[in-house]
Amino acid sequence: MKPVTKNFRDTAASTMSDPNIQAALENVYNNFFKARIAAGAATDNWEELRTRGKAIKDHSIANLDFYLDMLATNVERNGGRVFFAKDADEANRYVLDLARESNVRTVIKSKSMVSEEMGLNHVLTGAGIETVETDLGEYIIQLAGETPYHLIAPAIHKQKSDVSDLLAAKSGGDRKEDAEALTMQAREQLRAVFQRADMSITGVNFGVAEAGGIALVTNEGNGRMATSVPRIHVAVMGMEKIVPSIRDLSTMLRILIRSATGQRISTYVTMVNGPRRAGEEDGPEEFHLVIMDNGRSKLLADTTLRESLNCIRCGACLNACPVYRKVGGHSYGWVYPGPIGAIVSPVLTGLKDAKDLPFASSLCGACHDACPVKINIPRMLLELRGRVVESDDPTENARGRWEPLIWKGWKWGMMDRKRFDRGARLGRAAGGPLANEGWLNRSVPPITGWTSSRDFPLPAKKSFVNRFAKRSEETSERSTDE
Ligand code: SF4
């Protein structure tokens, strides 16, 4: 999938002026945010679980090579096959070759952000292989030809009437009005696809190294259908999605599910430990695990940003973020929206394509408070801002042509009292015709970015120092006269 993060400002502006999307974004706060708070409050050892979750992820990422090796060895011991892909192209090629070799005509997918990152649907459909999302939200956005809006609620921006139109257009039948009828309509459409699918592709919530298997968390049952019905199951995971043991998995599931939806446990938690064994009634004949790097090694090598690899994609930071709740998911342009996307995307897609993202934050710290593994997102956003501002590469540098010159001039003026006074007089003379009652409150080039959204005071007629000196003079004259 091609990153389009360059359009952050335009997309954010159009989202903020769309009342329907703004109404839908209220649900992020009213449903997910409040549900997470309630779930945390109802869990006696919530803070202890978060601390343990952070320790598990810190340890897993610090020993990533060891645990990836263990995972691969144990998956193969269980009868599965493992492929390490250095980037999305390699991962796509592996899946496509496998599909072709196995005469696959139809692929069903369970929700996977990594497959979005790979642009896998596009690759498979481009090769003539029918590829259908089976998570309801993902199915809706696939019908709409869009990308996910939220890490766990991909179609949260869609109104019921939008869904009604999309499903009716797909079936060629009547528009349904209520949520249950719409769900049944989608179910009928998807049931037929499940029956003819030869291959399933799922994401991975956690790879469990000691078990040689994967854990999947879903609420719709499509993940379990996908992992048991088709003859081939391919799971795709980012290389950071690993925990050492089943015991660790139990901790991580508790914090993931509460942070994502506020549930104590999701409707389905599915463990997949390889293909169907002799005597088992269901399960795939083949199980493949694709473990993708795609830039994560860069994050691993970057000691300041490495902590972002602890992310378990629960979406809590999006729900807590006052910026995400206004600008919505598509403004972030690539697969990962919200505060964590503002860190991951600039590294995975390149700073030049995502240089606005680190600035899409008020640095209020709500994301840090919400994160179940205590990722210090504001600290990393500040670091990335520094890199964007300091970069010598003009394609990465977000300051534009004027800003460095303005700051140089500012510094030069501030270093000398006379220069400062002259600068203030000049600023007043130049800004006077553009000011309104002493304020520059409309677009003033070349500082349009500032003045279009902030009122900037005109420099005073006389500086404080001059006024103070004059007043002292007058006071001393008065006392002499007396
Ligand atoms: S950064 Fe934390 S809160 Fe945000 S998605 Fe990742 S784990 Fe969840």
Side-chain angles (χ1 to χ4, degrees):
M1 183 186 168
K2 197 168 164 30
V4 287
T5 38
K6 285 174 188 164
N7 299 333
F8 178 83
R9 285 164 192 253
D10 292 344
T11 318
S14 72
T15 303
M16 285 191 285
S17 59
D18 183 328
N20 290 336
I21 296 189
Q22 290 302 308
L25 284 167
E26 290 283 309
N27 293 329
V28 170
Y29 181 78
N30 290 330
N31 299 338
F32 293 123
F33 180 80
K34 288 184 179 169
R36 176 186 59 79
I37 299 279
T43 307
D44 288 343
N45 58 346
W46 180 238
E47 281 311 309
E48 185 199 324
L49 283 174
R50 288 180 72 208
T51 305
R52 222 189 298 160
K54 174 176 168 44
I56 291 167
K57 286 301 299 185
D58 281 347
H59 173 79
S60 308
I61 298 300
N63 299 282
L64 196 54
D65 51 349
F66 175 78
Y67 286 116
L68 284 174
D69 198 36
M70 186 190 287
L71 176 67
T73 304
N74 288 336
V75 167
E76 280 166 5
R77 187 175 299 148
N78 291 339
R81 278 172 58 187
V82 177
F83 180 71
F84 283 94
K86 84 170 182 315
D87 56 25
D89 285 344
E90 269 194 19
N92 283 328
R93 211 172 311 123
Y94 179 84
V95 178
L96 184 58
D97 288 350
L98 177 66
R100 282 182 170 144
E101 281 160 21
S102 312
N103 295 319
V104 167
R105 297 212 181 114
T106 300
V107 169
I108 49 170
K109 287 187 64 224
S110 177
K111 189 173 174 317
S112 158
M113 295 307 286
V114 166
S115 74
E116 297 281 347
E117 186 183 328
M118 293 158 62
L120 183 54
N121 288 15
H122 184 68
V123 170
L124 291 174
T125 49
I129 298 169
E130 181 190 31
T131 307
V132 182
E133 297 285 351
T134 61
D135 170 272
L136 183 55
E138 290 281 348
Y139 184 54
I140 291 165
I141 60 158
Q142 185 181 27
L143 293 179
E146 294 180 15
T147 52
Y149 213 74
H150 188 285
L151 288 176
I152 61 155
I156 192 140
H157 59 306
K158 291 286 180 205
Q159 309 266 310
K160 202 158 49 170
S161 57
D162 300 326
V163 177
S164 189
D165 290 342
L166 290 165
L167 292 177
K170 176 70 182 170
S171 66
D174 295 340
R175 287 177 89 256
K176 310 285 181 203
E177 294 303 335
D178 72 284
E180 195 175 330
L182 287 169
T183 312
M184 289 309 295
Q185 195 176 17
R187 186 187 168 121
E188 272 165 33
Q189 293 173 7
L190 289 173
R191 182 63 61 159
V193 188
F194 270 112
Q195 283 166 345
R196 63 174 179 267
D198 317 282
M199 176 190 269
S200 68
I201 294 170
T202 71
V204 173
N205 287 104
F206 298 100
V208 187
E210 73 168 11
I214 61 160
L216 282 175
V217 178
T218 64
N219 272 316
E220 296 171 16
N222 63 313
R224 190 161 290 179
M225 284 274 282
T227 54
S228 50
V229 177
R231 61 189 161 89
I232 302 168
H233 172 200
V234 181
V236 290
M237 68 180 262
M239 68 183 197
E240 80 286 11
K241 287 291 210 71
I242 195 162
V243 290
S245 66
I246 292 282
R247 195 186 174 85
D248 297 326
L249 174 67
S250 132
T251 302
M252 300 312 291
L253 287 175
R254 274 188 259 176
I255 55 175
L256 168 67
I257 296 165
R258 282 170 171 83
S259 301
T261 55
Q263 295 162 286
R264 290 181 63 207
I265 187 80
S266 57
T267 315
Y268 298 88
V269 175
T270 305
M271 280 294 303
V272 178
N273 287 322
R276 185 195 322 168
R277 296 186 182 88
E280 288 180 346
E281 285 181 8
D282 56 20
E285 292 162 19
E286 293 176 32
F287 172 68
H288 299 254
L289 179 60
V290 178
I291 302 174
M292 189 171 79
D293 181 328
N294 207 32
R296 288 162 175 79
S297 295
K298 274 192 269 172
L299 281 170
L300 189 64
D302 188 328
T303 49
T304 320
L305 302 181
R306 181 185 296 165
E307 194 188 357
S308 62
L309 290 174
N310 285 4
C311 177
I312 55 175
R313 308 280 189 256
C314 70
C317 57
L318 281 62
N319 307 333
C321 177
V323 175
Y324 174 86
R325 294 203 309 258
K326 280 288 156 198
V327 305
H330 286 167
S331 300
Y332 294 82
W334 200 48
V335 182
Y336 301 110
I340 190 64
I343 295 167
V344 169
S345 299
V347 179
L348 298 191
T349 68
L351 208 50
K352 73 176 162 38
D353 280 332
K355 56 190 173 191
D356 281 332
L357 298 190
F359 297 89
S361 168
S362 66
L363 299 178
C364 66
C367 49
H368 188 191
D369 289 346
C371 179
V373 284
K374 301 186 176 184
I375 298 175
N376 191 339
I377 295 172
R379 177 186 63 76
M380 290 187 279
L381 288 173
L382 271 175
E383 165 69 21
L384 278 170
R385 286 184 187 188
R387 291 185 193 180
V388 168
V389 169
E390 297 296 327
S391 174
D392 293 329
D393 180 346
T395 62
E396 289 184 350
N397 197 304
R399 290 178 300 173
R401 212 153 34 100
W402 288 103
E403 196 177 326
L405 290 175
I406 290 171
W407 286 117
K408 261 191 199 154
W410 178 267
K411 183 178 169 191
W412 182 77
M414 294 295 279
M415 302 290 282
D416 179 274
R417 179 72 230 180
K418 282 192 187 135
R419 287 204 290 258
F420 177 83
D421 285 340
R422 257 185 254 131
R425 282 200 294 275
L426 193 66
R428 185 172 174 84
L434 301 168
N436 182 14
E437 296 183 353
W439 292 89
L440 291 165
N441 52 9
R442 57 199 156 123
S443 178
V444 181
I447 50 169
T448 305
W450 261 85
T451 53
S452 60
S453 57
R454 297 172 186 84
D455 291 353
F456 199 79
L458 259 188
K461 274 186 194 158
K462 281 197 176 157
S463 71
F464 172 77
V465 171
N466 286 342
R467 288 168 63 193
F468 189 79
K470 182 138 184 6
R471 181 180 287 199
S472 307
E473 215 174 278
E474 286 167 1
T475 312
S476 80
E477 275 170 17
R478 264 204 307 274
S479 29
T480 320
D481 292 348
E482 282 162 12

